[in-house]
Amino acid sequence: MTIKITDIIDVLVMTFIIYKVIMLVRETRAAQLLKGLFLILIFSRISILLNLYTVNWLISSVFTVGMVLIIVVFQPELRRAFEKLGRSNSIFTSIVKLKVQQINFKTEEIVNAVASLSRQKIGALIVIENGVGLADIVETGTILNSEISSELIINLFFPKSPLHDGAVIIKDEKIVAAGCFLPLSSNNSLSKELGTRHRAALGMSEKSDAFIIVVSEETGIITTVQNSSISRHIDSETLKNTLNKLFADSDNTIFKKITSGDENGNN
Ligand SMILES: Nc1ncnc2c1ncn2[C@@H]1O[C@H](COP(=O)(O)OP(=O)(O)OP(=O)(O)O)[C@@H](O)[C@H]1O
């Protein structure tokens, strides 16, 4: 006798179904009943094997009527069991919620830091890594690998801080490095009022798909740069929406759909 792959699938599916049923009815009145049904099934098989036709007929009849009775008598338990089954994807939902929280937290910390730096007119250059790796840029600065926090970002750009010169690099949930040197753009059409900080941001975006935030030391104006495109006079709300979308997009497609609005359903 050869065992086919479908036989294995068959056994696995049945094992899974039985396991699920046991888990659903465990510690309910229905558990006792299931044991009873199981015994009746065994007796039914035995009666077939021993050719006890009348006994088998009786058992089959009891079984059929029993099935109807089960549905009537155990209606509340069955309802609860199906409700439980409906909630069984709650682990998945929790993971998604956690991911949304992470994104919201990260966005909030960055936006708060940028808003504060802008108010205080402290120059800043923040690079958020996207699809293209920035290991070579990270190497030019000081490795931090710290949790993202607005206080840390503000501190790093504080004029007297040893790492305030250069760019902060953010990757996933970490501030990877600070004081990094970015490639300067040689674009001649860049406005004359924008100096080397902005030129460095543009240069970085010409070489990668990173999202770059610049805070001007002179004016406090917030500028964002991505794919060689410069957006000036960005307010906190716009930055928040852009970052939420950026982080959601860089996550996998399942999270993408759900995180298009924040936890409360607004964006
Ligand atoms: N290649 C670079 N990589 C990273 N940071 C740079 C680079 N070039 C300049 N910077 C940062 O920019 C600062 C100088 O900013 P500068 O005033 O020239 O630029 P800016 O675009 O006019 O900005 P701001 O409006 O803040 O004055 C430096 O102190 C340094 O922190």
Side-chain angles (χ1 to χ4, degrees), residues 2 6 36 40 48-49 75 89-90 104 119 124 127 139 142 146-148 167-168 170 197 205 228 230 247 261:
T2 53
T6 48
I40 291 176
I48 290 170
L49 284 175
Q75 189 260 342
N89 65 354
S90 59
N104 286 343
R119 274 196 305 275
V127 178
E139 274 172 19
T142 303
S146 315
E147 297 298 320
I148 296 170
V168 156
I170 291 176
R197 202 190 307 271
S205 86
S228 307
I230 301 175
F247 295 141

Side-chain angles (χ1 to χ4, degrees), residues 123 125 164-167 180-184 193-200 215-218:
L125 186 52
H164 82 279
D165 249 345
C180 299
F181 186 81
L182 308 185
L184 289 173
E193 65 184 77
L194 302 176
T196 49
R197 202 190 307 271
H198 293 81
R199 194 168 279 281
V215 179
S216 166
E217 193 171 21
E218 259 172 61

